[in-house]
Amino acid sequence: MVDFVHPNRSNLETENRRYRFQKAEREDSEGQGVLEISMGPQHPSTHGVFRMDVALDGETVVRLKPVFGYLHRNHEKIAEKTTYLSSMPYTDRLDYFCSMTNNWAYALAVEKLAGLTVPERAEYLRVILGELTRLQNHACLMGFLLQDLGAMGTPLMYAFREREKILDLFESLSGSRMMCNYMRFGGCRVDLPAGWLDQVRQVTGGFGPFLDEFEQLLTTNEILMARLQGVGVLPRELAIHASITGPVLRASGVNYDIRKVDHYGIYDRFEFRVPLGDHGDCYDRFMMRLLEMRESLRILEAAMRDLPEGPILDPKVKIRNFKPKPGEAYGRIEAPKGELGFYLISDGSANPYRYRIRPPSLINLTVLEDLCLGHKLADVVIILGSIDIVLGEVDR
């Protein structure tokens, strides 16, 4: 567990702003003095086709309603009309920043349903690809959040520079930079090309200095601290009751990481710490990503060192005539944005009888109004950015 102290926090209010304004209608039934505006669905700060209906008293938020559905693609019902394997490419389109971890969560659910085993080498490859995905996701979040704050250009370009290096690795391995379609039930699709691990070591070797640079430039920046500290506080109890997961939950001080809880894959073989925040505000959520990336580098170093030789796919898996026995299973992982889970019911046919997704972006958005009440309209953009959503998995 890692704790950190906010610089210059002693003179800040941390918990008294969220309840200043109630969710109920204002005392004047006609809503006099309340301005209602619609942010989105094409507003650049909404990170996709997402709309917020905001009621303002001056510039202060007194009500906020998230509006979803503009990107709905019928993913879950399509999956019930196609084979298990044919749904793997659809998972790429959920959180399209994190296709490798999307593949992993779905593969894990099917493996539980069908009772499949995964070779050792494939388990290590999944960890390597999962942690590389976490690195590029968190780096982008930090860049986007700084842009939401008004730091135009430089932080985001620095973050995307590092992301491009990881996407190059994904492309050389899977043939695609973003829609990788790499995982398979019982393992992985192809083995590593020659020299690929050396390229990973080169990328991760330069990622630590990149984090050092970001931390030195940003974490004690006076403007960043003023805009993030004490803003969008998520109390621990509300985070738990609302089923919030991932860095947003841990920023509120809740020590819950599925890699530690479930030990899925081979995560019990790696030593890494779970960063925790103290106040649950935007600054804590920013710091969670920075600290988690450092732990991902530790996991990657150990995984590449211990990567064994051997097969990458269970030879007993019959992809062409894949029909799990009747039953149900839920597979989940610690995706970069939180708990990503797939719930499957099999009736013995080649298609899932039921196919449902538990997307972290959607669940984490349910507390958006609670985080924004009492803050200014300009803070809403920052609070939304600190949650880290992708509309591909919100709407599905």
Side-chain angles (χ1 to χ4, degrees):
M1 182 178 69
V2 178
D3 295 316
F4 65 91
V5 178
H6 290 251
N8 300 332
R9 177 173 281 282
S10 58
N11 60 342
L12 292 172
E13 297 177 339
T14 59
E15 297 183 358
N16 64 343
R17 298 191 65 182
R18 199 178 70 84
Y19 293 107
R20 286 185 183 175
F21 292 84
Q22 300 177 351
K23 296 181 183 179
E25 296 289 341
R26 289 175 56 82
E27 293 182 356
D28 49 326
S29 59
E30 297 181 358
Q32 296 179 0
V34 176
L35 174 65
E36 295 187 4
I37 64 172
S38 177
M39 294 183 64
Q42 283 82 32
H43 196 283
S45 71
T46 56
H47 297 260
V49 281
F50 168 59
R51 181 161 65 92
M52 293 179 287
D53 287 336
V54 187
L56 301 172
D57 180 6
E59 292 189 16
T60 302
V61 177
V62 296
R63 189 172 65 254
L64 186 147
K65 178 184 177 182
V67 183
F68 315 125
Y70 295 97
L71 199 61
H72 183 63
R73 305 179 307 288
N74 212 28
H75 178 150
E76 292 161 321
K77 295 307 293 184
I78 290 175
E80 294 170 6
K81 300 299 181 181
T82 187
T83 64
Y84 285 88
L85 181 59
S86 297
S87 293
M88 185 64 79
Y90 285 106
T91 67
D92 291 335
R93 276 77 177 171
L94 290 170
D95 177 359
Y96 38 79
F97 275 78
C98 305
S99 67
M100 288 291 190
T101 48
N102 298 343
N103 290 175
W104 192 357
Y106 178 51
L108 187 63
V110 175
E111 287 157 3
K112 286 186 175 182
L113 185 65
L116 302 177
T117 59
V118 180
E120 284 279 295
R121 183 173 176 83
E123 291 282 23
Y124 275 89
L125 291 181
R126 288 181 174 186
V127 169
I128 292 171
L129 295 168
E131 295 308 316
L132 285 174
T133 299
R134 200 178 315 277
L135 287 179
Q136 60 95 12
N137 178 86
H138 287 358
C140 289
L141 177 278
M142 294 173 66
F144 282 132
L145 185 57
L146 267 294
Q147 181 154 293
D148 290 339
L149 279 166
M152 303 300 291
T154 302
L156 182 60
M157 292 300 102
Y158 278 22
F160 265 69
R161 178 193 64 191
E162 302 305 312
R163 176 180 183 246
E164 287 299 301
K165 298 174 185 177
I166 296 176
L167 294 190
D168 287 343
L169 295 173
F170 290 168
E171 183 179 22
S172 64
L173 175 61
S174 71
S176 177
R177 296 168 61 79
M178 293 182 66
M179 310 304 166
C180 298
N181 186 24
Y182 178 74
M183 307 291 179
R184 289 294 181 266
F185 315 139
C188 302
R189 176 161 55 88
V190 294
D191 207 344
L192 304 181
W196 193 83
L197 275 184
D198 292 334
Q199 297 174 25
V200 175
R201 291 189 179 96
Q202 184 176 0
V203 170
T204 56
F207 213 92
F210 159 71
L211 293 180
D212 293 340
E213 184 180 39
F214 247 43
E215 185 171 3
Q216 182 179 3
L217 291 174
L218 300 176
T219 55
T220 56
N221 181 278
E222 184 176 349
I223 298 175
L224 183 140
M225 291 164 55
R227 294 295 307 278
L228 297 184
Q229 290 185 346
V231 174
V233 174
L234 176 61
R236 174 190 177 96
E237 294 75 16
L238 177 59
I240 294 172
H241 294 161
S243 299
I244 306 303
T245 55
V248 179
L249 174 69
R250 292 187 287 274
S252 297
V254 181
N255 190 0
Y256 186 82
D257 187 311
I258 298 174
R259 293 174 295 177
K260 293 284 191 180
V261 174
D262 286 0
H263 297 298
Y264 64 90
I266 52 171
Y267 272 110
D268 56 340
R269 303 183 187 181
F270 303 105
E271 292 185 5
F272 63 96
R273 299 173 293 180
V274 179
L276 298 178
D278 295 323
H279 304 88
D281 56 10
C282 288
Y283 188 87
D284 277 8
R285 292 191 282 274
F286 171 81
M287 288 297 299
M288 285 303 98
R289 275 67 177 215
L290 178 65
L291 297 174
E292 285 188 8
M293 284 191 284
R294 295 195 180 279
E295 298 305 311
S296 291
L297 291 175
R298 295 180 59 192
I299 296 173
L300 282 166
E301 181 181 359
M304 289 188 290
R305 181 190 64 227
D306 300 336
L307 177 66
E309 298 294 332
I312 60 166
L313 187 67
D314 186 347
K316 299 179 181 179
V317 178
K318 298 180 180 180
I319 298 296
R320 291 183 178 272
N321 192 28
F322 187 76
K323 296 180 179 180
K325 295 180 180 179
E328 60 181 339
Y330 178 68
R332 64 176 188 169
I333 68 167
E334 184 66 38
K337 294 174 174 63
E339 178 181 337
L340 174 62
F342 286 79
Y343 174 67
L344 303 173
I345 298 179
S346 171
D347 59 1
S349 68
N351 305 340
Y353 176 73
R354 285 290 181 267
Y355 176 108
R356 293 292 181 268
I357 305 168
R358 193 266 186 212
S361 290
L362 173 64
I363 306 300
N364 291 352
L365 265 182
T366 60
V367 295
L368 181 61
E369 180 182 43
D370 299 87
L371 300 182
C372 293
L373 292 177
H375 290 292
K376 303 301 182 184
L377 180 62
D379 295 327
V380 171
V381 174
I382 301 170
I383 294 169
L384 176 63
S386 73
I387 296 176
D388 190 13
I389 64 168
V390 164
L391 266 295
E393 71 174 15
V394 171
D395 289 338
R396 301 181 304 288

